[in-house]
Amino acid sequence: MIPQKTLRLLIALAAGTLFLCCTGSGRGGGNTSLRTGQPIPSESGTFYLDTLYSGLDNPWGMAWLQDGRMLVTERKGEILIFEDDRYSGEKLKGFPQTYERGQGGLLDIQPHPHYAENGWIYATYAKPGAGGGSTTLIRFRLSGNDITDLKTLYETTPLSTAGVHFGSRIIFDNDGYLYFSTGERGAKEHAQNLANDMGKIHRLHDDGRIPADNPFVDTPLAKPSIWSYGHRNVQGMAYDSTHNVIYATEHGPRGGDELNIIEKGKNYGWPVITYGIDYSGAIISVLTEKEGMEQPIHYWTPSLATCGLLFYTGDKFAGWQGNLFAGALALTHVARIELRNGNYAHEEKLLQGIGRVRHIAQSADGYIYVLTEGPGMLLKLIPAE
């Protein structure tokens, strides 16, 4: 077992405290070949940590295309292109103007499950408009590095000048339905109001149409795209395709971050029930449960400030198959979560002190990648065995 002091040093080196073999990118960092000198132990095996790129500026989402390219979004509205685990120096061209305010900007990115056939890429971003900004879902194709055929599929309302709680993550299920999350923009009452889009998870066809079997299509005044509601700010969603289960991580206020299983038409309680208090210390609600409102399968106090969520299905880390991986912004680690019959069973903290973890994703060949901010890095976990 590596002593804790030595382990922290290894992680600090991999985090880019010392940049070795930098190629220089003009972005305050560059491509690197830095790897921890000794494997990092975990409860289920050991791994190396590669720092693939340093100098990212508020990275948010990442996705792989059929041709092997990897796209990384930055909140300011840029999409960087990586090839063979190296930043190519190129970006996509033609992304629309973003509402870059506070937590707002370019957010998640996901290719269509049948990208090889149709070429569609989906993204969520904060779109500027009269009255502020709104979380908006778009899709587009690529011609080389140029964005083409861009179409807005869903623009949430009401607009707000608030700089917080935009969400947002995108997933697809086995039937090709698209789900994306929205935060309540700091207005707690939005989350329980079915007449607006805030604090919800929405379900659409891949072309933006409303599915006829959505739970509130026949509810007067309700937004028909809503799949679930009563959310504060969901910034992590992952799909277990074997069991057809959607998992989501949600920011609490001061304490009370949640891990939920998302189901049709369910109310997840914010702000009527919560395990957290306001940042000022004020009580938001004396209730932690109420009939008709869902309980999380786990909650964290103090808050992780959880962001990004992966359900691991690869074969590179056999002991981690079927585990969830959640990023911790405030507590600066990756939480590896073991499940038993779909419920929370055990948790291990990986990469403690690595930085604000914004997202975790799995490549097609089963490796795990991590995005951090402050410092902004692209990291890759490599099994030691």
Side-chain angles (χ1 to χ4, degrees), residues 329-375:
L329 291 166
L331 298 189
T332 62
H333 67 266
V334 173
R336 182 182 68 85
I337 301 165
E338 295 178 7
L339 302 168
R340 188 172 296 116
N341 298 321
N343 290 306
Y344 177 98
H346 174 68
E347 181 175 338
E348 178 186 16
K349 294 180 180 179
L350 302 176
L351 306 179
Q352 294 186 63
I354 196 67
R356 288 170 55 82
V357 178
R358 178 58 73 179
H359 196 32
I360 308 104
Q362 175 186 323
S363 62
D365 53 0
Y367 289 101
I368 294 175
Y369 290 69
V370 176
L371 284 176
T372 68
E373 58 182 43

Side-chain angles (χ1 to χ4, degrees), residues 107-120:
L107 303 169
D108 206 17
I109 189 165
Q110 287 294 331
H112 193 282
H114 301 297
Y115 173 82
E117 290 79 43
N118 59 39
W120 287 118

Side-chain angles (χ1 to χ4, degrees), residues 87-357:
Y87 175 46
S88 67
E90 300 181 339
K91 306 168 190 174
L92 298 189
K93 302 173 185 176
F95 197 86
Q97 179 185 356
T98 64
Y99 184 74
E100 190 185 358
R101 178 176 177 143
Q103 298 168 5
L106 174 52
L107 303 169
D108 206 17
I109 189 165
Q110 287 294 331
H112 193 282
H114 301 297
Y115 173 82
E117 290 79 43
N118 59 39
W120 287 118
I121 299 170
Y122 295 75
T124 49
Y125 76 109
K127 179 180 179 180
S134 65
T135 302
T136 298
L137 173 73
I138 61 172
R139 74 175 183 179
F140 57 86
R141 292 187 173 105
L142 295 178
S143 176
N145 293 343
D146 294 324
I147 290 173
T148 65
D149 304 323
L150 190 147
K151 180 183 178 183
T152 297
L153 300 184
Y154 200 96
E155 184 173 349
T156 61
T157 60
L159 275 68
S160 170
T161 57
V164 297
H165 301 180
F166 292 84
S168 168
R169 292 294 173 188
I170 305 166
I171 60 168
F172 289 87
D173 70 9
N174 288 332
D175 297 318
Y177 292 107
L178 179 152
Y179 302 78
F180 76 101
S181 61
T182 63
E184 33 79 304
R185 301 302 302 281
K188 299 178 180 68
E189 65 277 7
H190 284 338
Q192 291 294 319
N193 185 354
L194 293 174
N196 70 52
D197 294 306
M198 306 296 110
K200 315 296 192 301
I201 291 175
H202 300 265
R203 177 181 182 250
L204 301 170
H205 288 291
D206 62 359
D207 59 1
R209 290 176 297 116
I210 305 294
D213 61 345
N214 271 8
F216 302 107
V217 290
D218 296 321
T219 301
L221 302 180
K223 294 283 189 169
S225 59
I226 295 172
W227 184 253
S228 64
Y229 66 109
H231 300 290
R232 185 172 182 266
N233 192 26
V234 171
Q235 290 190 336
M237 283 204 298
Y239 183 59
D240 174 359
S241 60
T242 300
H243 301 99
N244 192 30
V245 174
I246 297 172
Y247 294 96
T249 49
E250 179 169 343
H251 286 276
R254 186 173 159 189
D257 288 4
E258 295 182 358
L259 172 62
N260 286 298
I261 292 176
I262 303 302
E263 296 180 324
K264 179 179 181 177
K266 296 293 181 66
N267 181 352
Y268 290 81
W270 176 257
V272 180
I273 60 173
T274 179
Y275 287 93
I277 60 175
D278 221 334
Y279 297 111
S280 66
I283 300 300
I284 296 169
S285 174
V286 297
L287 301 177
T288 56
E289 58 183 69
K290 185 177 181 179
E291 186 177 357
M293 295 183 176
E294 299 303 301
Q295 283 290 298
I297 64 171
H298 184 68
Y299 69 90
W300 290 273
T301 297
S303 292
L304 302 180
T306 183
C307 190
L309 190 65
L310 166 67
F311 183 84
Y312 184 69
T313 60
D315 60 3
K316 294 295 187 291
F317 303 91
W320 292 352
Q321 286 180 351
N323 289 183
L324 290 169
F325 292 80
L329 291 166
L331 298 189
T332 62
H333 67 266
V334 173
R336 182 182 68 85
I337 301 165
E338 295 178 7
L339 302 168
R340 188 172 296 116
N341 298 321
N343 290 306
Y344 177 98
H346 174 68
E347 181 175 338
E348 178 186 16
K349 294 180 180 179
L350 302 176
L351 306 179
Q352 294 186 63
I354 196 67
R356 288 170 55 82
V357 178

